[in-house]
Amino acid sequence: MTKTKDMIEKVWWAIPPAIIVFIFYPVFITITDGRYSPGKCVFWLRYLFFSPVGRIYVVCTFGFMGIGYYVTRGKTLALRVAIPTILSVVGFFAGIFMALIIAGSEGAY
């Protein structure tokens, strides 16, 4: 048990980004698209990371995650994993809100 905890202590900072990229993004894509398809997930992940609007989502997601890392310095391991994950989800939806504001001001919607 202590070896597992020591290993998690060494790589705790990598857990929230992995949860967001490999679990949250595909689940969100599946919910919004209505069905699961690996091809769709790859398409949307490429969109998120390589399109200008998708970059807004990613920057907000990882920016809020960074704020979570800063806030939880010196706290317990559970808080150091949970708070950045929760804040990154909030940041993703803040990015969607910002993208909609930008698109609305451009006259796209």
Side-chain angles (χ1 to χ4, degrees), residues 7-26:
M7 178 64 144
I8 292 172
E9 282 283 340
K10 290 178 183 174
V11 297
W12 69 269
W13 54 269
I15 295 170
I19 290 171
I20 294 303
V21 172
F22 296 113
I23 296 174
F24 174 73
Y25 283 164

Side-chain angles (χ1 to χ4, degrees), residues 56-70 87-88 91:
I56 292 172
Y57 306 148
V58 172
V59 166
C60 285
T61 300
F62 287 98
F64 274 61
M65 189 182 301
I67 292 169
Y69 283 137
Y70 180 75
L87 283 179
S88 64

Side-chain angles (χ1 to χ4, degrees), residues 73-89:
R73 288 178 301 150
K75 303 285 194 263
T76 64
L77 180 63
L79 284 176
R80 289 188 296 180
V81 171
I83 299 297
T85 304
I86 292 168
L87 283 179
S88 64
V89 170

Side-chain angles (χ1 to χ4, degrees), residues 88-109:
S88 64
V89 170
V90 170
F92 178 77
F93 289 112
I96 288 177
F97 184 68
M98 287 174 50
L100 288 174
I101 288 175
I102 292 169
S105 68
E106 297 280 326
Y109 293 109

